[in-house]
Amino acid sequence: MIAEPYDFSIDVESLENDEIQEGGLTTEQYIKLFSAYLYNNELCAAKFLWRRVPDSLKSNPELQKVWSIGKALWTKHYTQAYELIDCKWSDVLEPIMVAIKSRIQQDTLKFISTHYENIQLDKFQTFMGVNKEQAERIVEREGWTLLNGYVIPVAINEPELTLSGSQEILDRLVTLSSFTSYVEN
């Protein structure tokens, strides 16, 4: 698997509670919360967050770039998402963007390993957002085979997921939707 380059330990619940208690966040806090949602693949939460961001803060260039990544992921335009992630970021956001890209690549590897018997190398490169040399290194690191321009993946086994994490996410979404309903009405 691709190693995590950054310990992504943003306290989503804390930022969400701050937003509820304070009636909003700073631009930096919104960027961190957006990034956390993208990292955790909580695209619905990111979309609703954008609706809650005050118009006066939406002009921030980094906030707009993070939102653009979210829109690209939402519409499954992964090539565009990789291009946006690979842009120049502030020193604070650079490692976060590396972590988001790594997480997307890990999810892509899992998908490819379970849904493809083989895939053309150029298509694999596009899905992973890497060049040919990087793609070949990933194939080798995963223990997959590269034969005549095709990647032959080996299924990645994952442990069974429990429902406890799902319940936590649902509880947070109920709280946020209640807050959003309150703010909009």
Side-chain angles (χ1 to χ4, degrees):
M1 292 302 271
I2 297 170
E4 266 317 300
Y6 180 75
D7 179 19
F8 199 87
S9 58
I10 292 177
D11 188 0
V12 174
E13 191 172 341
S14 173
L15 288 169
E16 289 172 344
N17 287 336
D18 288 349
E19 181 184 19
I20 291 169
Q21 292 171 357
E22 304 296 324
L25 298 171
T26 66
T27 304
E28 293 77 22
Q29 288 174 312
Y30 277 120
I31 291 170
K32 285 182 179 181
L33 188 53
F34 259 118
S35 300
Y37 286 150
L38 296 182
Y39 180 81
N40 293 320
N41 201 27
E42 295 179 24
L43 301 179
C44 287
K47 188 174 180 182
F48 286 119
L49 178 60
W50 181 253
R51 293 184 68 167
R52 295 192 313 268
V53 172
D55 290 338
S56 61
L57 300 180
K58 288 183 178 179
S59 62
N60 179 283
E62 283 201 320
L63 184 60
Q64 287 179 353
K65 282 192 336 187
V66 173
W67 171 234
S68 294
I69 293 168
K71 287 191 298 187
L73 293 172
W74 180 268
T75 57
K76 300 187 184 331
H77 293 115
Y78 297 109
T79 303
Q80 180 185 9
Y82 284 131
E83 289 172 2
L84 290 165
I85 289 170
D86 289 338
C87 290
K88 178 72 175 137
W89 293 94
S90 67
D91 291 341
V92 172
L93 283 179
E94 181 70 27
I96 294 172
M97 291 302 133
V98 168
I100 290 171
K101 183 175 182 177
S102 177
R103 198 270 315 149
I104 295 168
Q105 289 175 327
Q106 287 176 349
D107 289 351
T108 303
L109 283 174
K110 289 175 199 169
F111 180 83
I112 290 171
S113 78
T114 57
H115 292 87
Y116 285 83
E117 288 183 18
N118 60 56
I119 182 172
Q120 291 178 341
L121 181 60
D122 60 339
K123 188 179 271 191
F124 179 76
Q125 289 172 233
T126 301
F127 285 172
M128 294 297 293
V130 296
N131 62 36
K132 184 177 180 179
E133 293 77 29
Q134 292 169 320
E136 290 171 349
R137 283 196 303 266
I138 292 170
V139 168
E140 182 180 327
R141 182 175 55 236
E142 293 299 317
W144 296 359
T145 305
L146 183 59
L147 183 64
N148 299 326
Y150 284 86
V151 175
I152 303 168
V154 175
I156 297 172
N157 294 325
E158 289 278 327
E160 293 278 331
L161 295 176
T162 62
L163 295 177
S164 62
S166 299
Q167 186 59 45
E168 182 182 324
I169 292 170
L170 286 174
D171 291 343
R172 286 197 341 232
L173 283 174
V174 167
T175 303
L176 282 174
S177 62
S178 298
F179 175 70
T180 302
S181 178
Y182 172 78
V183 169
E184 289 180 351
N185 295 323

